[in-house]
């Protein structure tokens, strides 16, 4: 006859390895051994790594596929786009070299929202009784980390754009949000990791061969490359996720990217500026 057990978490009486009320596992002596500890750790790492790498491969080779699977109810096989995005943000935080969308305070004063930025700067200088240079030093020290964490606000804003572009597709906001997370994950990995990686490889090769006065890689090159890559990705993602024709998907991609530029380079930077100034 099976042994009758009492769950230590909820007090439920049950038989077997797991409580049928709360799911708590019954721990035996074997579960507390070092061998079992390493077995579970190895299983967890290989399972997560395999799932993550599979999802990254699908992200770059089949735009919109993971979002289509997850919103249709198939979730266990893949890393959720939002989770992949969060892992990217963590990696982004660990490598200070990658500046991404962050920029010094003085550059905020040259953007389209200059009147708002100037007002914040003037008020902060007046209230803190400090010079602009001192304020800039404080701002530039705090801004990088805020810039990386605040990338999360771009996802729900992108989802709103998708809601406007596809009002008749009978999708929940959750569905648009899932695709928005996938689109932004691609943007994050491609623009902040892949492009800087190849730039560093180029600089390394140029240094080895002392290519003085050679080809210089700047924003005028990297931004169009990133824009083109994102455009191609979005077109295929819209085609698959919304069951669009490629022509319609391409036209809506153009609209999406225009609004996305507004989100990333204006709205996001206004939010970033406001948050950092608040904490100074």
């Amino acid at each position: 006859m099976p042994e009758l057990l009492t769950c230590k978490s909820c007090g439920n009486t049950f038989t077997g390895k797991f409580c049928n009320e709360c799911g708590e596992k019954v721990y035996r002596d074997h579960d507390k051994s070092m061998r079992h500890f390493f077995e579970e750790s190895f299983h967890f790492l290989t399972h997560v790594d395999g799932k993550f790498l599979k999802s990254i491969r699908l992200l770059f080779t089949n735009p919109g596929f993971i979002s289509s699977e997850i919103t249709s109810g198939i979730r266990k096989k893949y890393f959720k786009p939002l989770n992949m995005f969060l892992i990217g943000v963590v990696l982004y935080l660990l490598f200070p070299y990658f500046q991404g969308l962050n920029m010094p305070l003085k550059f905020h004063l040259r953007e389209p929202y200059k009147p708002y930025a100037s007002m914040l700067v003037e008020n902060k200088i007046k209230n803190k009784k400090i010079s602009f240079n001192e304020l800039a030093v404080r701002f530039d020290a705090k801004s990088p980390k805020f810039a990386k964490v605040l990338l999360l606000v771009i996802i729900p804003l992108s989802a709103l754009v998708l809601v406007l572009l596809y009002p008749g597709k009978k999708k929940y906001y959750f569905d648009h949000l899932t695709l928005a997370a996938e689109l932004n994950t691609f943007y994050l990995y491609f623009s902040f990791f892949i492009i800087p990686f190849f730039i560093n490889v180029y600089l390394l090769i140029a240094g080895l061969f002392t290519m003085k006065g050679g080809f210089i890689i700047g924003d005028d090159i990297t931004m169009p490359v990133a824009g083109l890559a994102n455009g191609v990705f979005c077109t295929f993602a819209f085609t698959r996720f919304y069951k669009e024709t490629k022509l319609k998907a391409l036209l809506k991609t153009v609209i999406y990217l225009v609004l996305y530029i507004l989100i990333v380079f204006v709205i996001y930077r206004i939010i970033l500026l406001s948050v950092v100034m608040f904490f100074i």
Side-chain angles (χ1 to χ4, degrees):
M1 184 176 179
E3 181 184 3
L4 197 62
L5 303 169
T6 300
C7 178
K8 293 183 178 181
S9 290
C10 67
N12 176 56
T13 302
F14 67 100
T15 59
K17 295 182 178 180
F18 298 91
C19 173
N20 61 331
E21 284 290 332
C22 68
E24 183 70 80
K25 181 181 178 181
V26 178
Y27 271 83
R28 311 261 181 202
D29 291 341
H30 168 71
D31 297 315
K32 298 179 181 181
S33 67
M34 290 300 296
R35 177 180 176 180
H36 182 71
F37 172 79
F38 285 114
E39 284 175 352
E40 284 205 329
S41 300
F42 179 77
H43 173 74
F44 173 78
L45 289 173
T46 53
H47 176 69
V48 170
D49 286 350
K51 192 174 178 180
F52 178 71
L53 293 175
K54 174 186 177 182
S55 300
I56 287 294
R57 177 177 60 79
L58 288 170
L59 173 73
F60 281 91
T61 58
N62 293 279
F65 176 78
I66 295 176
S67 295
S68 297
E69 291 279 280
I70 288 175
T71 54
S72 68
I74 305 172
R75 303 181 184 182
K76 292 293 184 181
K77 295 167 63 176
Y78 314 104
F79 246 68
K80 294 178 182 178
L82 181 59
N83 292 345
M84 286 193 286
F85 185 85
L86 289 172
I87 289 174
V89 170
V90 171
L91 292 173
Y92 186 32
L93 282 167
L94 293 175
F95 295 97
Y97 173 81
F98 301 133
Q99 291 299 308
L101 298 176
N102 181 54
M103 62 183 184
L105 178 60
K106 62 182 180 181
F107 291 133
H108 282 281
L109 297 173
R110 304 175 187 174
E111 296 297 312
Y113 51 90
K114 178 182 176 181
Y116 175 72
S118 298
M119 180 193 71
L120 287 182
V121 168
E122 289 170 7
N123 288 339
K124 188 61 67 171
I125 289 174
K126 180 180 178 181
N127 294 333
K128 291 289 183 178
K129 295 182 171 57
I130 56 177
S131 66
F132 174 80
N133 289 336
E134 187 176 352
L135 177 63
V137 169
R138 294 186 187 183
F139 183 93
D140 296 348
K142 287 181 178 290
S143 183
K145 289 185 179 179
F146 279 102
K148 295 171 182 181
V149 174
L150 286 174
L151 285 172
L152 286 167
V153 305
I154 297 176
I155 294 177
L157 293 174
S158 304
L160 289 176
V161 174
L162 297 178
V163 170
L164 294 174
L165 287 175
Y166 292 98
K169 291 295 181 178
K170 296 182 179 179
K171 298 278 189 183
Y172 291 97
Y173 181 71
F174 168 82
D175 300 329
H176 298 296
L177 192 66
T178 302
L179 181 63
E182 183 175 344
L183 299 177
N184 280 280
T185 298
F186 176 81
Y187 174 73
L188 176 66
Y189 282 58
F190 187 83
S191 301
F192 298 169
F193 297 139
I194 294 177
I195 289 181
F197 171 77
F198 281 105
I199 289 176
N200 279 302
V201 170
Y202 166 79
L203 292 175
L204 178 62
I205 295 173
L208 290 175
F209 291 95
T210 61
M211 297 164 59
K212 296 180 179 179
F215 186 64
I216 298 174
I217 300 178
D219 287 344
D220 56 334
I221 295 173
T222 58
M223 289 185 68
V225 169
L228 178 62
N230 281 299
V232 172
F233 186 89
C234 288
T235 300
F236 282 103
F238 292 168
T239 301
R240 176 175 282 113
F241 190 78
Y242 294 111
K243 304 294 188 288
E244 283 274 42
T245 64
K246 288 185 179 180
L247 180 58
K248 286 185 178 179
L250 178 59
L251 292 174
K252 291 191 176 182
T253 291
V254 173
I255 299 172
Y256 172 81
L257 289 179
V258 170
L259 294 175
Y260 189 73
I261 289 172
L262 177 65
I263 290 171
V264 171
F265 294 103
V266 179
I267 298 175
Y268 164 80
R269 284 180 170 168
I270 289 175
I271 294 172
L272 172 61
L273 174 66
S274 302
V275 170
V276 177
M277 293 294 277
F278 178 80
F279 283 97
I280 291 178

